[in-house]
């Protein structure tokens, strides 16, 4: 999928616009959307971050209307959770068949069998650290003097939650410069939408920003201290769609139909980016300049749905080495490309 297909606009135009909008409302935004009908299987999909999790766009009725199988081969209930553990709990209770997870939550769920019958990864939603696309980034205030990873020693660092894949990016960078994150910095948990204000107010010295929130930091002249490009040798799958094995056993045809629609939906987004930006901003009650500033541009993640097993295995092994996952496992036993077409 190329930049040309995303119909990207001028970065300066976007960053100027985003500097005028607030992000505090993002902390509470949520979405529940369902398609119902008679006799067809119902699938439940849970996500955590709107738009950045591209599978969240299944919640938008106007996009649902573009999909070939939704409403005929399966029904869909889309819900937003505050965290991936919430989604796992929902899956464990049988209230969701599929969910968006990231590196640590996926590995921990597999090893602890958090969902009865366990889970299987069926698609990649986000690749982090692709050299031509966005990498999760650490920013400090423009006048802080913090401009490289070594400057973070002894500083207070913001993260959305400890023990996550985002937290692991700090740990991996500290390991590479010969420091220990636990001993050489203080980690503070804050919601992503508060990071810019927290840096300005001195509550944290730096924060780690995913794509959805990084544009405001750049537009306000924050220092880019490092990105995941600096810590990973190449791109790796960071967030994924997983399905419970019970759902795969009971609703395999419906999940295959959903997978076809997932590919169709992503292609539709690239071919109709401007329309999708407006629809997504309205549906999730987000400022349109915010969405336009990153979605399917150079400020967004690399999007490729098939699972790269070698890179997935590497990322899981790295989580073990960093102490975020208890032990490694063969990812091919817990991941499959059978449900989502490659193109």
């Amino acid at each position: 999928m190329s930049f040309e297909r995303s119909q990207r606009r001028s970065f300066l135009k976007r960053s100027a616009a985003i500097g005028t909008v607030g992000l505090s409302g993002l902390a509470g935004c949520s979405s529940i959307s369902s398609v119902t009908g008679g006799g067809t299987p119902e699938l439940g999909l849970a996500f955590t971050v709107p738009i950045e999790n591209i599978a969240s766009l299944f919640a938008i009725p106007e996009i649902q209307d573009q999909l070939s199988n939704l409403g005929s081969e399966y029904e869909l209930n889309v819900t937003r959770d505050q965290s991936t553990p919430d989604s796992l709990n929902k899956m464990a209770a049988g209230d969701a068949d599929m969910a968006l997870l990231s590196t640590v939550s996926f590995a921990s769920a597999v090893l602890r069998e958090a969902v009865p019958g366990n889970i299987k990864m069926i698609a990649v939603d986000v690749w982090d650290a692709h050299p031509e696309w966005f990498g999760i980034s650490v920013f400090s205030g423009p006048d802080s003097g913090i401009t490289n990873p070594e400057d973070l020693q002894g500083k207070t660092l913001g993260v959305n939650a400890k023990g996550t894949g985002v937290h692991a990016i700090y740990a991996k960078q500290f390991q590479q410069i010969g420091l220990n994150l636990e001993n050489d910095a203080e980690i503070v948990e804050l919601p992503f939408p508060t990071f810019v204000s927290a840096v300005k107010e001195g509550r944290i010295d730096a924060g780690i920003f995913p794509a959805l929130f990084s544009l405001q930091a750049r537009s306000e002249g924050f220092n880019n201290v490092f990105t995941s490009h600096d810590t990973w040798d190449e791109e790796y799958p960071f967030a994924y769609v997983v399905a419970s094995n019970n759902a795969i056993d009971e609703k395999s045809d419906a999940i295959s139909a959903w997978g076809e629609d997932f590919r169709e939906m992503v292609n539709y987004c690239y071919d109709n980016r401007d329309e999708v930006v407006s629809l997504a901003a309205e549906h999730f009650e987000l400022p349109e300049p915010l969405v336009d500033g990153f979605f399917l541009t150079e400020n967004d993640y690399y999007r490729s749905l098939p699972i790269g097993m070698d890179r997935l295995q590497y990322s899981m092994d790295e989580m073990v080495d960093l102490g975020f996952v208890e032990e490694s496992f063969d990812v091919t036993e817990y991941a499959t490309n059978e449900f989502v077409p490659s193109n």
Side-chain angles (χ1 to χ4, degrees):
M1 292 181 289
S2 67
F3 284 122
E4 287 76 11
R5 292 186 67 195
S6 72
Q7 300 174 7
R8 58 182 178 174
R9 299 176 180 177
S10 163
F11 168 74
L12 292 176
K13 177 180 177 182
R14 288 192 228 102
S15 59
I18 201 61
T20 67
V21 300
L23 299 177
S24 59
L26 291 172
C29 66
S30 63
S31 175
I32 299 177
S33 180
S34 65
V35 174
T36 58
T40 53
E42 180 172 319
L43 296 175
L45 171 66
F47 71 93
T48 53
V49 184
I51 308 173
E52 187 169 299
N53 289 148
I54 200 167
S56 68
L57 301 184
F58 274 101
I60 301 175
E62 292 86 350
I63 292 179
Q64 293 172 354
D65 291 340
Q66 305 300 320
L67 306 178
S68 299
N69 298 313
L70 180 53
S72 58
E73 301 301 319
Y74 67 97
E75 302 161 0
L76 189 64
N77 182 52
V78 185
T79 57
R80 184 189 175 201
D81 294 322
Q82 292 301 308
S83 67
T84 52
D86 292 336
S87 296
L88 282 168
N89 289 337
K90 189 175 289 182
M91 294 180 75
D95 295 329
D97 301 293
M98 303 179 293
L100 274 294
L101 302 182
S102 60
T103 48
V104 176
S105 57
F106 169 71
S108 298
V110 164
L111 291 171
R112 299 175 184 177
E113 296 189 27
V115 176
N118 222 318
I119 60 176
K120 186 164 287 186
M121 187 186 304
I122 60 174
V124 178
D125 190 89
V126 163
W127 290 76
D128 184 33
H130 189 284
E132 297 178 2
W133 297 78
F134 177 81
I136 296 171
S137 303
V138 172
F139 287 95
S140 67
D143 301 320
S144 67
I146 301 171
T147 58
N148 59 66
E150 288 78 6
D151 296 332
L152 296 174
Q153 185 174 7
K155 298 300 191 291
T156 300
L157 311 179
V159 71
N160 64 318
K162 296 179 181 179
T164 62
V166 172
H167 183 191
I169 292 171
Y170 274 132
K172 188 169 173 62
Q173 179 64 75
F174 268 58
Q175 182 186 73
Q176 290 179 351
I177 61 175
L179 298 175
N180 182 285
L181 181 62
E182 185 175 346
N183 299 328
D184 294 321
E186 179 183 359
I187 298 294
V188 175
E189 294 182 312
L190 294 169
F192 283 132
T194 68
F195 278 12
V196 168
S197 61
V199 169
K200 288 180 174 180
E201 295 164 7
R203 289 181 285 148
I204 58 176
D205 297 302
I208 190 163
F209 290 72
L212 181 62
F213 303 102
S214 64
L215 191 60
Q216 186 186 21
R218 286 195 298 271
S219 70
E220 298 198 21
F222 277 38
N223 299 317
N224 193 339
V225 182
F226 74 88
T227 77
S228 56
H229 300 105
D230 302 314
T231 60
W232 291 84
D233 59 342
E234 58 183 279
E235 67 271 14
Y236 66 103
F238 180 81
Y240 347 95
V241 183
V242 306
S244 71
N245 284 335
N246 289 343
I248 290 174
D249 290 340
E250 297 169 6
K251 306 175 183 180
S252 179
D253 289 345
I255 293 174
S256 292
W258 174 87
E260 292 175 1
D261 282 352
F262 193 14
R263 164 54 62 201
E264 189 174 8
M265 185 264 284
V266 171
N267 289 344
Y268 182 84
C269 289
Y270 274 86
D271 292 338
N272 302 275
R273 180 187 176 274
D274 290 349
E275 175 193 353
V276 172
V277 164
S278 296
L279 289 172
E282 180 179 4
H283 183 83
F284 293 111
E285 299 181 349
L286 298 173
E288 188 166 332
L290 172 66
V291 180
D292 187 44
F294 88 95
F295 186 58
L296 304 186
T297 74
E298 69 274 21
N299 299 316
D300 197 359
Y301 303 99
Y302 176 59
R303 308 283 188 177
S304 180
L305 303 185
I307 302 162
M309 297 298 176
D310 289 346
R311 293 305 296 170
L312 177 62
Q313 186 69 64
Y314 177 75
S315 64
M316 293 297 105
D317 293 344
E318 282 294 293
M319 292 303 109
V320 176
D321 181 62
L322 292 168
F324 283 75
V325 174
E326 297 167 0
E327 60 182 290
S328 191
F329 56 92
D330 183 355
V331 299
T332 61
E333 297 181 11
Y334 302 95
T336 179
N337 281 314
E338 67 178 293
F339 291 105
V340 178
S342 59
N343 52 48

